[in-house]
Amino acid sequence: MINLETPKKHRQLIDQAHQVAMNMLRPISRKYDQAEHSYPKELDMLAAMIDGLADSGASEGAGATGVRRDDKADEKGVKNGANLASVQSVAEMCWGDTGLTLAMPRQGLGNSAIASVANDEQLKRFEGTWASMAITEPSMGSDSAALTTTAVKDGDEYVLNGEKIFVTAGDRSDSVVVWATLDKSLGRAAIKSFVVTKGTPGLKVERLEHKLGIRASDTAVITFTDCRVPAENLLGSPDIDVKQGFAGAMATFDNTRPLVAAMAVGCARAALDLTRGLLEEAGVVIDYDRPAQVQSAAAAKFLQLESDWEGGRLLTLQAAWMADNRQPNSLEASMAKAKAGRVGSDVTLSCVELAASVGYSETELLEKWARDSKILDIFEGTQQIQQLIVARRVLGLSSAELK
């Protein structure tokens, strides 16, 4: 059974992540929000430190790369493993700055995709790469299965053609995990992911997007024109299993959605912490021992926001814990992403409102967090898509039966 207390073995990692967020990310947060597309050089030292922790084994789950589902359980049959550690450390990092967390070298969402579906040989071969993830296309909306980028087998290579948009860290990364279809006529089952190394002929970063939030993180449009990729760079099995359907590709989302939920949890927690201090300075007393309805409107609203935030946090921990214990977590991953994404936007925007002119100005980071948090409700599957997935899982219906 899951224990909702922070595991003792993870406390040092979480404390370290909090110190990094407070002392390294917060001080440069506004700087790189204003200097969009400028690479935060301060992150190189931090990335090296995370690499050192991971290599030493001192901090299981350090960083935001996601981790492979462990085939081992402890002697009690239940474990708090690297997935749980990862979401907790990511939440702390995003308490510092979400955009900078997403800009961390070798911590891309593509790395999480590699961890999810790569075989052992590929895991070793791509170790150390900084991988962005290219899924979304101009005409596909929120339906990942509607992608049109093709991968055609030609000897020992696949030839990729298509366009991807909203690729996080698409310009700075070393490689790109590209989702493409081997055969459009076979639908979802033919969708596979490929690792394409930067510099490969046919891969071109077309432009960088100007964004509402997470401006420290670059977001690119990338095209693939007769881009030849070694066949061994197809992640996982090249076989098309119609019975399995989209399950192989969805394993990536089961790994990344709890991470994105954790980002929303961390950003919202930052807003709540600052807002509580601002309210106290203004003479607003928040009393946890009295019912909300007998307190001031501001205090009652704050208590409601904290309650919603706690729901998102617990769902996120549950999804990660299930992954650590080899339990299918597709439903829980989508529930966590839906709840935390929505709550993150609601909390940060409400904190701007509670802080009035201070919240809306650049004298504090509240307005920035409100801008940053919105993307966490959108990418890796929008709020509406998550609710649709949850409904299908709960009702036992297929994508064809419930659209």
Side-chain angles (χ1 to χ4, degrees), residues 4 39 57 63 146 164 177 189 217 231 260 295 318 330 341 348:
L4 299 180
Y39 176 66
K164 297 294 184 178
V177 175
S217 170
V260 176
Q295 299 189 52
Q318 179 189 26
S330 181
T348 53

Side-chain angles (χ1 to χ4, degrees), residues 16 20 24 43-54 62 106:
Q16 289 172 337
V20 167
M24 296 185 68
L43 297 182
D44 287 337
M45 180 178 67
L46 180 56
M49 182 182 73
I50 292 176
D51 289 343
L53 289 172
R106 296 177 298 285

Side-chain angles (χ1 to χ4, degrees), residues 208-227:
L208 299 181
E209 303 287 5
H210 294 281
K211 308 185 296 297
L212 173 72
I214 58 166
R215 292 160 61 89
S217 170
D218 65 302
T219 303
V221 174
I222 300 179
T223 57
F224 301 88
T225 307
D226 294 331
C227 182

Side-chain angles (χ1 to χ4, degrees), residues 191-213:
I191 294 174
K192 301 292 182 178
S193 51
F194 301 79
V195 178
V196 185
T197 305
K198 286 291 187 62
T200 301
L203 183 158
K204 183 180 179 182
V205 177
E206 296 288 346
R207 69 176 186 273
L208 299 181
E209 303 287 5
H210 294 281
K211 308 185 296 297
L212 173 72

